Amino acid sequence: MSDDRDLIARLRRGDEDAFRDLVGSLHGRLLRFARALGLTAALAEEVVQETWLAVLRGLERFEGRSALTTWIFAICANGARTRAAREGREIPLGDLSRDPEEPAVDPSRFRPSGAWAQPPPRGDARPPDEILLSREAASRVREALDALPPAQRAVVVLRDLEGLPGPEVCNVLGLTESNMRVLLHRGRSRLRGVLEDYVRGGGETHPGGRT
Amino acid sequence: MMLACREMTELTTDYLERQLSWWDRMRFLMHIGMCGACWEYVRGMKAVLANFHRIGTEVVPPEVPPELFDRFRNWKR
């Protein structure tokens, strides 16, 4: 967070370049996050603008206990919540009682013993971090991400797209560690399932085809 | 006790997030070592995670309202 300290000092000095860099790096990501929380494009736009104004108002008092980015995402999440409430809606975060139990894999794919009856198809043999999803495969997974329930989507966006550490995701969304992990697990499991269906249907996961 | 394949699919996130106890982690690793189907399952999950930068919903090219920068300029005054 020492980079943060430097950046915050520049912002507090009124360094406009520093502010432009910050906005340039975060504006689009905040919009994506606000959309992930279930806001319409227009509302997300408003909430993100209000977020920046709140950042300016709060910057002098920001104590750096979290990363600057996390703090800004948290302001955005609060703004989104307030905004949704004003529109008579709420963002259902952390209320897992309303989420039906969702197994990671359809239970009918297991034998009564819990062993696979219908195992996942064999994918390509590369190590996972060398697998580059084909454009088609990536867009299937992206559609599935867009279709996740808001709470799962918000957690997956912050943890897996933004790469925030788990505890910071909890702070931003006001979730307990265990609820956050349940949401992450459900979201990720769905995305994995979509990729599996795609492979099962004969789709190629790698731009160059399967090895 | 051996973990069942079904339990493995429910523990995969905790495994990848390094949230399993030492003992559960050992059981998890023992299972993948012996079960090709679960090994494939975990690989599929890792492939999704490794590709998030490609999966990410498009970041809209930011159209930042210019007033925001005016606000910044006047912020200290």
Side-chain angles (χ1 to χ4, degrees), chain A residues 4 6 14 17 24 31 48-49 54 58 67 72 83 96 106-107 119 121 141 146 162 178 191:
Chain A
D4 265 10
D6 181 49
D17 288 340
L31 283 174
V48 171
Q49 288 184 32
I72 297 174
R83 210 43 216 266
L96 295 180
D106 178 355
V141 180
D146 290 341
E162 292 294 342
S178 64
L191 303 186

Side-chain angles (χ1 to χ4, degrees), chain A residues 121-166:
Chain A
R122 288 194 57 148
D124 81 36
R126 297 175 180 85
D129 51 358
E130 286 175 22
I131 296 175
L132 184 68
L133 290 187
S134 65
R135 196 184 287 263
E136 174 68 15
S139 88
R140 294 288 177 88
V141 180
R142 182 183 307 129
E143 283 161 22
L145 173 64
D146 290 341
L148 289 179
Q152 291 177 24
R153 194 169 51 210
V155 168
V156 170
V157 163
L158 288 181
R159 178 74 190 97
D160 292 332
L161 270 176
E162 292 294 342
L164 262 54

Side-chain angles (χ1 to χ4, degrees), chain A residues 136-204:
Chain A
E136 174 68 15
S139 88
R140 294 288 177 88
V141 180
R142 182 183 307 129
E143 283 161 22
L145 173 64
D146 290 341
L148 289 179
Q152 291 177 24
R153 194 169 51 210
V155 168
V156 170
V157 163
L158 288 181
R159 178 74 190 97
D160 292 332
L161 270 176
E162 292 294 342
L164 262 54
E168 303 217 342
V169 176
C170 295
N171 283 343
V172 168
L173 295 172
L175 291 170
T176 63
E177 183 90 29
S178 64
N179 278 4
M180 190 278 288
R181 278 216 305 283
V182 169
L183 291 166
L184 184 65
H185 180 60
R186 289 180 184 170
R188 282 182 180 177
S189 299
R190 268 211 224 180
L191 303 186
R192 191 217 58 87
V194 166
L195 188 61
E196 183 187 321
D197 291 344
Y198 177 75
V199 173
R200 198 186 293 285
E204 292 187 335

